[in-house]
């Protein structure tokens, strides 16, 4: 047993060492990796900090430059607009509106010369009428009287003193803006000027930011006013969807109208950000507002160009990282080698010691902890060598014991497996037991004797010659001292004879001569303390069995007892089960007969009462009704002699009496029919119980029911289908009783099919009844199917109850299906089932045994 435990333990330890070796990494690699990781970590942290600082500085510097340029451009545009306002101011003085028209025209012409950006100047009087217009592009207009009183250039200028109009394009070439300034005084008029914004485009075009950066201007609605690409301006491009433009338009103005734009010395996070350019791609953008116009100047630079210093710093950091990695690899490899070489020598020595070389010693002189470890290892190897020399002998002895125990357990397991697989095959179990016992106990021969009354017979043997086996069949052992088997049977305990030839009481010498054995051992097979057999082992030479072998044989004897008992109990259980099954069948048959007898007895008593209490009065009713009809017939000639008036009354009364008597006779006959059916239901089976041709019986019943229905109702018609199995053959039935079942089911099918047709809900419906038979081997099946109205579930559950019917009063007694059920199930031992679907079909399925085993009741 210990050997079995040690072997898996040794294998699992070896496998664990192999898995551990696969997972290990050389110490050189670990030390180098640690040093390299430390250097890389320092360089990465330093590089990340430098990158972060460089990124912040580069972004701040770029934003500062762009913010300054945006503010400078916004200031210049503001100055441009302010200059135009100042130049127009001397035409808005109070006394200017009273100077002669020629002087006003001269002043406007001089204004156009002084301010090149102005292309047209006009004067509107206090009522908004145009009095003078001087233009570079069109002829001058004097006193046109054109009404601008509702135009924003007049209304908003009068209200706010100055008005800047929206940007527009003249002739699709250049952007323009209208500037209107109210004159001093009350109702003095307004000077209106058209300003060419090309100067703003020149300012924006001259702004350079890096290699690919540029500036642009949008108005208060986000539409492009100035851009280096003039075609975008001419197309009136809308930039309001860009996030940076949208954000700037949503913020309130930084300065009130009329004040100069504010200028910030440092960039503000609110005015500069990373955004998306109109052409796509990320850009670093800054913006400044032109408050008086509510315009915005944007200066943008591609993000890659703005962060170029950061990228250069990144390349520098990567170069330093590579150099540091190389130096760390060189230093780590050198230091690891200095540490690993002695450790490897320790490892090699340990592996040789583990391989069984106990003379291995390790020679290391490093003057450190590794040298101390080597000395301790050498001391341990010496002690292991001493222990191993004394352990080998112990292990050899223990291994032998374990092998014997393992063989015993294996044999026992095999025997138990045979017992479990062949629980009811006793001979196989006993044969396995004698073979296993002989091999494990080092015996040449083995046998099992089982008690048969007062003697013991051979039932299994191993190693004995066939001549002895035949001799043993005719010479069983008795319970006496002449043989080992007899002594074991007498004493009920193990008996061993070391040498049968030296034992004077052993007289079974013919067994010894044929078997050629000298030493014999017998142990009893005990059940409840009494021997039921004997297990015998023999050896050809004088060599007694030891105690361990005797105990082992007793174990095999116990297993033999278990096998014998299992078979005995199984046979007893089978016998008892068959007896119980037969008893249950007899009880069930008796119960069915008792129930049927009690039922028929009750119905017989009821019928007897009806015959006594109803039959005689019913006969009087029927007879006197018939007699009354005869008397009425005799009375008719006398009516002819009566007076006409009395004759008419007598005839009327006579007809009424005849009608009433007809109804009395009709219902009397129906009551008589019910009584007869009840008598029929309670009466025991009649007729002969014999084999008949069931196909012929079914066909005859179908024809009889069909012609009976036509005789009762001359207009009756239905399609008949017969599917009779030619292999059906004869079946043992009561022909008269079973014909009654078929007629009942077929008549019900006729009724249901005709009823469905009479409802008239389906065009082209044809009533159909199908009768079919099928051979089921030792059983037969009869099916009666109609395509009538079907049977609801609540009716199906009660349809076989006596006196239950769904037909109208006067058309059914409710005893037909109940009688049919009793005939099929009780008299013929069959089954009757119903398959139906309301509104489509009903099918009765009868299954009968070919040889009827039911007893008529």
């Amino acid at each position: 047993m210990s050997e079995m435990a040690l072997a898996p333990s040794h294998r699992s330890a070896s496998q664990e060492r192999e898995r551990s070796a696969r997972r290990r990494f050389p110490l050189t690699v670990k030390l180098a990796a640690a040093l390299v990781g430390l250097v890389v970590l320092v360089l990465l942290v330093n590089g990340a900090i430098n990158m972060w600082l460089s990124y912040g500085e580069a972004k701040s510097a770029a934003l500062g430059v762009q913010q300054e340029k945006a503010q400078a451009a916004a200031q210049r545009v503001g100055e441009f607009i302010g200059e135009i306002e100042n130049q127009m101011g001397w035409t808005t003085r109070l006394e200017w509106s009273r100077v002669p028209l020629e002087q006003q025209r001269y002043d406007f012409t001089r204004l156009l010369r002084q301010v090149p950006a102005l292309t047209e100047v006009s004067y509107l009087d206090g009522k908004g009428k145009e009095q003078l217009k001087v233009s570079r592009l069109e002829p001058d207009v004097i006193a046109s009287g054109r009404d601008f009183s509702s135009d924003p250039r007049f209304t908003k200028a009068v209200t706010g003193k100055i008005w800047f109009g929206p940007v527009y394009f003249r002739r699709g070439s250049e952007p323009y803006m209208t500037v209107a300034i109210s004159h001093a005084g009350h109702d003095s008029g307004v000077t209106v000027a058209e300003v060419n914004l090309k100067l703003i485009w020149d300012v924006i075009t001259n702004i350079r930011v890096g290699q690919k950066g540029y500036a642009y201007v949008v108005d208060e609605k986000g539409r492009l006013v100035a851009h280096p690409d003039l075609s975008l301006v001419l197309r009136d491009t809308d930039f309001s969807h860009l996030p940076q433009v949208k954000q700037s338009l949503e913020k309130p103005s930084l300065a009130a109208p009329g004040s100069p734009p504010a200028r910030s010395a440092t960039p503000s996070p609110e005015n500069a950000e990373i955004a998306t350019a109109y052409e796509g791609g990320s850009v670093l953008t800054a913006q400044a507002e032109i408050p008086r116009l509510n315009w915005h100047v944007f200066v943008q630079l591609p993000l890659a160009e703005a962060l170029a210093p950061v990228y250069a710093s990144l390349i520098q950091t990567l170069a330093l990282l590579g150099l540091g990695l190389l130096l760390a690899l060189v230093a780590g490899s050198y230091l690891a080698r200095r540490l690993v070489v002695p450790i490897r020598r320790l490892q090699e020595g340990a592996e040789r010691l583990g391989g069984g070389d106990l003379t291995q010693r390790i020679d290391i002189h490093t003057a450190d902890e590794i040298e101390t470890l080597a000395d301790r290892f050498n001391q341990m190897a010496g002690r292991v060598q001493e222990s191993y020399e004394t352990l080998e002998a112990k292990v050899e002895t223990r291994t032998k014991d374990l092998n014997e125990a393992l063989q015993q357990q294996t044999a026992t397991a095999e025997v138990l497996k045979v017992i479990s697989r062949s629980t009811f095959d006793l001979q196989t179990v006993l044969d396995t037991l004698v073979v296993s016992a002989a091999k494990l106990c080092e015996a040449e021969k083995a046998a099992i004797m089982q008690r048969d009354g007062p003697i013991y017979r051979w039932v299994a043997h191993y190693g004995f010659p066939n001549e002895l086996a035949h001799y043993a069949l005719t010479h069983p052992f008795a319970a006496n001292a002449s043989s080992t088997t007899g002594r074991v049977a007498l004493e009920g305990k193990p008996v061993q004879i070391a040498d049968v030839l030296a034992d004077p009481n052993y007289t079974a010498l013919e067994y010894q001569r044929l078997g050629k054995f000298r030493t014999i051992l017998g142990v009893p097979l005990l059940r409840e303390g009494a021997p039921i057999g004997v297990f015998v082992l023999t050896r050809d030479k004088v060599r007694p069995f030891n105690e361990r072998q005797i105990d082992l044989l007793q174990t095999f004897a116990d297993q033999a007892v278990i096998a014998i008992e299992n078979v005995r109990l199984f046979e007893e259980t089978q016998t008892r089960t068959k007896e119980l099954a037969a008893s249950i069948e007899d009880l069930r048959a008796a119960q069915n007969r008792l129930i049927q007898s009690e039922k028929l007895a009750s119905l017989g008593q009821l019928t007897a009462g009806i015959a006594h209490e109803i039959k005689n009065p019913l006969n009087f009713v029927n007879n006197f009704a018939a007699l009354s009809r005869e008397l009425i017939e005799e009375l008719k000639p006398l009516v002819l002699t009566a007076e006409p008036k009395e004759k008419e009354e007598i005839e009327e009364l006579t007809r009424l009496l005849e009608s009433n008597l007809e109804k009395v006779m009709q219902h009397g006959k129906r009551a008589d029919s019910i009584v007869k059916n009840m008598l029929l239901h309670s009466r025991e089976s009649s007729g002969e119980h014999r084999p008949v041709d069931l196909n012929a019986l079914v066909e005859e019943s179908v024809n009889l029911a069909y012609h009976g229905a036509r005789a009762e109702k001359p207009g009756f018609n239905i399609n008949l289908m017969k599917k009779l199995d030619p292999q059906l053959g004869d079946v043992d039935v009561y022909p008269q009783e079973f014909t009654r079942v078929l007629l009942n089911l077929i008549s019900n099918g006729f009724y249901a099919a005709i009823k469905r047709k009479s409802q008239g809900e389906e065009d082209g419906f044809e009533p159909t009844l199908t009768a079919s038979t099928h051979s089921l081997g030792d059983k037969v099946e009869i099916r009666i199917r109609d395509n009538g109205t079907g049977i609801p579930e609540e009716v199906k559950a009660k349809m076989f109850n006596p006196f239950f019917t769904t037909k109208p009063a006067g058309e059914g007694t409710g005893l037909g299906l109940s009688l049919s059920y009793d005939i099929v199930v009780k008299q013929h031992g069959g089954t009757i089932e119903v398959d139906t679907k309301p509104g489509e079909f009903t099918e009765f399925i009868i299954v009968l045994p070919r040889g009827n085993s039911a007893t008529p009741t």
Side-chain angles (χ1 to χ4, degrees):
M1 181 66 184
S2 301
E3 194 172 276
M4 293 174 63
L6 286 173
S9 175
H10 175 71
R11 287 196 298 271
S12 61
S14 176
Q15 295 171 356
E16 182 64 26
R17 286 196 299 271
E18 292 178 1
R19 289 195 295 268
S20 178
R22 288 196 295 269
R23 292 194 297 267
R24 291 174 181 168
F25 296 96
L27 189 58
T28 307
V29 175
K30 293 181 179 179
L31 292 174
L35 184 58
V36 170
L38 181 61
V39 173
V40 170
L41 178 63
V42 172
L43 293 176
L44 284 176
V45 171
N46 182 63
I49 294 174
N50 289 338
M51 284 286 296
W52 177 255
L53 295 177
S54 299
Y55 173 78
E57 292 175 358
K59 180 178 178 182
S60 178
L63 288 176
V65 172
Q66 291 179 229
Q67 187 69 42
E68 289 179 1
K69 293 187 177 184
Q71 291 176 345
Q75 183 178 10
R76 187 166 179 186
V77 172
E79 292 174 352
F80 168 71
I81 297 300
E83 180 64 23
I84 292 175
E85 183 181 352
N86 291 334
Q87 291 293 334
M88 293 176 60
W90 59 270
T91 65
T92 61
R93 296 191 301 273
L94 179 61
E95 66 277 7
W96 189 83
S97 59
R98 292 192 291 269
V99 301
L101 183 60
E102 288 300 325
Q103 181 63 38
Q104 291 178 348
R105 182 179 182 184
Y106 174 75
D107 291 341
F108 278 1
T109 302
R110 187 175 63 176
L111 180 60
L112 292 177
R113 290 196 190 102
Q114 291 176 352
V115 186
L118 298 180
T119 59
E120 184 176 292
V121 184
S122 59
Y123 168 62
L124 306 180
D125 61 15
K127 296 182 180 180
K129 305 292 185 180
E130 185 180 67
Q131 300 299 329
L132 177 63
K133 183 174 75 172
V134 179
S135 174
R136 299 179 190 272
L137 306 177
E138 298 176 356
D140 297 344
V141 178
I142 299 173
S144 66
R146 187 177 177 185
D147 188 6
F148 289 93
S149 59
S150 60
D151 194 278
R153 67 186 67 193
F154 178 76
T155 58
K156 291 189 178 183
V158 170
T159 303
K161 301 302 180 182
I162 185 170
W163 175 73
F164 299 100
V167 179
Y168 67 93
F169 295 89
R170 179 175 288 183
R171 298 169 184 168
S173 60
E174 295 177 350
Y176 282 81
M177 180 182 68
T178 301
V179 178
I181 302 175
S182 174
H183 289 209
H186 181 67
D187 294 336
S188 299
V190 176
T191 299
V192 181
E194 304 298 328
V195 182
N196 190 329
L197 301 179
K198 185 175 182 303
L199 178 62
I200 298 177
W201 180 81
D202 294 336
V203 171
I204 295 303
T205 304
N206 291 331
I207 295 176
R208 295 297 177 187
V209 184
Q211 296 181 355
K212 297 182 180 180
Y214 61 86
Y216 59 89
V217 180
V218 297
D219 61 12
E220 69 278 3
K221 294 182 180 179
R223 309 196 72 82
L224 199 60
V225 175
H227 192 279
D229 187 357
L230 188 59
S231 63
L232 294 177
V233 179
L234 296 179
R235 290 199 300 269
D236 195 18
T237 305
D238 186 3
F239 272 31
S240 62
H241 64 280
L242 296 179
Q244 61 270 29
V245 176
K246 184 177 181 181
Q247 182 180 0
S248 298
L249 295 178
E250 291 175 352
K251 292 191 298 185
S253 178
L254 298 176
S259 62
R263 181 170 182 177
S264 176
T266 58
S268 171
E270 297 180 355
N271 298 331
E273 61 179 343
I274 297 175
T276 304
Y278 177 77
E279 301 84 0
S282 297
V283 294
L284 198 64
T285 179
Q287 65 92 17
E289 183 183 358
I290 307 173
R292 302 209 44 206
L293 301 177
N294 200 17
W295 292 358
H296 295 269
V297 178
F298 288 86
V299 179
Q300 68 180 29
L301 179 66
L303 189 61
E305 185 177 343
L307 300 181
V310 179
Y311 298 149
S313 177
L314 176 61
I315 295 173
Q316 180 182 1
T317 301
L318 292 176
L320 291 174
L321 180 62
L323 180 60
L325 181 61
L326 180 60
L327 293 176
L329 282 174
V330 173
S333 300
Y334 175 76
L335 293 176
R337 183 173 179 80
R338 293 286 296 174
L339 292 173
V340 168
V341 171
I343 294 175
R344 282 183 177 174
R345 293 177 65 183
L346 276 173
Q347 179 184 1
E348 292 171 357
E351 289 176 353
R352 285 194 291 270
L353 179 63
D357 186 5
L358 301 180
T359 61
Q360 172 66 32
R361 299 295 182 268
I362 301 173
D363 186 19
I364 296 177
H365 302 283
T366 57
D368 55 15
E369 288 82 356
I370 296 179
E371 182 178 352
T372 303
L373 180 61
D375 293 339
R376 297 291 185 271
F377 181 86
N378 292 334
Q379 296 174 9
M380 180 189 68
R383 287 194 294 269
V384 170
Q385 185 176 9
E386 294 175 2
S387 300
Y388 184 76
E389 292 173 354
T390 59
L391 185 62
E392 285 183 341
K394 296 180 180 179
V395 170
E396 185 177 356
T397 303
R398 186 60 178 164
T399 301
K400 183 178 179 180
D401 295 339
L402 289 174
N403 284 332
E404 293 178 357
L406 178 61
Q407 291 176 359
Q408 294 176 9
Q409 289 187 354
T410 303
T412 304
E414 291 178 353
V415 171
L416 293 176
K417 187 184 298 182
V418 171
I419 293 176
S420 64
R421 290 180 178 176
S422 308
T423 305
F424 313 118
D425 186 1
L426 181 60
Q427 192 60 47
T428 301
V429 176
L430 296 180
D431 291 342
T432 303
L433 286 171
V434 294
V435 173
S436 300
K439 291 182 178 179
L440 289 178
C441 296
E442 300 177 1
E444 288 82 12
K445 303 176 182 68
I448 295 177
M449 275 66 73
Q450 188 174 358
R451 188 178 68 186
D452 183 8
I455 60 176
Y456 290 82
R457 298 184 182 277
W458 275 35
V459 292
H461 66 88
Y462 167 74
F464 288 105
N466 292 331
E467 186 179 0
L468 177 58
H470 293 309
Y471 177 79
L473 293 177
T474 57
H475 298 79
F477 293 102
N480 53 44
S482 63
S483 65
T484 305
T485 302
R487 296 179 189 180
V488 173
L490 283 176
E491 299 176 8
K493 62 182 180 180
V495 173
Q496 178 174 209
I497 302 176
D499 186 358
V500 295
L501 297 181
D503 188 341
N505 295 325
Y506 187 84
T507 60
L509 297 179
E510 185 63 18
Y511 274 90
Q512 190 278 330
R513 185 185 68 81
L514 295 175
K516 296 181 176 58
F517 54 84
R518 297 292 297 275
T519 298
I520 184 168
L521 170 65
V523 298
L525 277 63
L526 298 175
R527 185 186 72 193
E528 298 179 355
I532 62 171
V534 178
F535 205 136
V536 174
L537 295 179
T538 66
R539 285 175 176 168
D540 295 344
K541 296 180 180 179
V542 178
R543 184 163 62 94
F545 295 90
N546 57 36
E547 290 298 325
R548 185 185 61 80
Q549 293 169 339
I550 295 174
D551 293 340
L552 181 59
L553 181 59
Q554 187 63 63
T555 301
F556 281 111
D558 295 340
Q559 293 174 350
V561 172
I562 293 173
I564 294 172
E565 283 299 292
N566 286 342
V567 173
R568 184 182 67 82
L569 293 175
F570 175 71
E571 291 175 351
E572 290 180 358
T573 302
Q574 273 193 324
T575 303
R576 185 59 179 163
T577 301
K578 291 179 181 179
E579 294 174 355
L580 288 175
S583 300
I584 290 173
E585 288 297 326
D586 294 342
L587 181 61
R588 184 180 292 112
Q591 183 181 15
N592 291 336
R593 288 194 298 271
L594 179 61
I595 293 173
Q596 183 69 6
S597 299
E598 291 178 352
K599 175 180 175 182
L600 293 178
S602 300
L603 287 175
Q605 294 174 2
L606 177 63
T607 304
I610 292 173
H612 180 72
E613 299 294 337
I614 299 178
K615 189 67 175 177
N616 291 335
L618 187 60
N619 289 337
F620 276 108
V621 170
N622 291 334
N623 293 335
F624 278 102
L627 180 61
S628 297
R629 289 194 63 183
E630 294 177 0
L631 292 176
I632 290 174
E633 292 295 330
E634 295 178 0
L635 184 62
K636 286 182 179 181
L638 300 176
V639 174
L640 298 176
T641 61
E643 294 295 330
K645 183 177 180 180
E646 295 175 351
K647 178 181 179 181
E648 182 177 353
E649 293 178 359
I650 294 173
E651 288 179 347
E652 179 67 24
L653 293 174
T654 302
R655 283 194 298 273
L656 182 60
L657 287 173
E658 285 182 342
S659 175
N660 292 340
L661 290 173
E662 183 67 29
K663 292 178 180 179
V664 170
M665 292 179 66
Q666 178 182 355
H667 289 285
K669 291 179 179 179
R670 169 167 166 73
D672 187 57
S673 174
I674 292 174
V675 171
K676 288 180 180 179
N677 281 330
M678 292 173 66
L679 290 172
L680 184 64
H681 193 279
S682 63
R683 190 176 60 204
E684 295 185 358
S685 61
S686 61
E688 185 182 1
H689 179 248
R690 59 184 175 82
V692 297
D693 184 352
L694 195 59
N695 281 341
L697 190 65
V698 171
E699 187 169 9
E700 180 182 352
S701 299
V702 171
N703 294 333
L704 182 62
Y706 177 73
H707 292 297
R710 287 183 62 84
E712 183 179 355
K713 296 180 180 180
F716 174 83
N717 192 24
I718 190 171
N719 293 330
L720 297 178
M721 298 181 65
K722 304 170 187 176
K723 300 179 181 179
L724 307 179
D725 187 353
Q727 305 297 325
L728 190 66
D730 291 346
V731 181
D732 193 9
V733 298
Y734 293 92
Q736 182 178 353
E737 303 292 334
F738 196 69
T739 300
R740 187 182 305 164
V741 173
L742 294 176
L743 290 175
N744 194 358
L745 298 181
I746 294 169
S747 298
N748 286 346
F750 287 169
Y751 178 84
I754 296 302
K755 181 178 179 181
R756 181 177 176 184
K757 183 177 181 181
S758 65
Q759 291 174 353
E761 298 177 358
E762 304 175 54
D763 295 335
F765 172 76
E766 292 293 337
T768 303
L769 184 133
T770 304
S772 59
T773 61
H774 304 279
S775 176
L776 304 179
D778 60 344
K779 297 181 180 180
V780 295
E781 181 185 76
I782 305 99
R783 291 175 178 257
I784 306 298
R785 180 187 179 103
D786 65 78
N787 62 347
T789 56
I791 303 174
E793 284 297 324
E794 61 273 12
V795 175
K796 183 178 176 182
K798 301 181 291 185
M799 60 188 302
F800 291 110
N801 294 343
F803 302 105
F804 177 79
T805 181
T806 59
K807 294 180 181 179
E811 295 190 25
T813 63
L815 292 172
L817 288 179
S818 175
L819 179 64
S820 299
Y821 182 86
D822 286 345
I823 292 173
V824 171
V825 177
K826 305 301 180 182
Q827 293 184 6
H828 291 82
T831 61
I832 179 169
E833 297 178 354
V834 182
D835 183 17
T836 181
K837 187 173 182 180
E840 294 190 12
F841 72 92
T842 298
E843 184 173 36
F844 286 86
I845 305 165
I846 300 174
V847 178
L848 299 177
R850 282 189 177 275
N852 190 359
S853 60
T855 302
T857 58

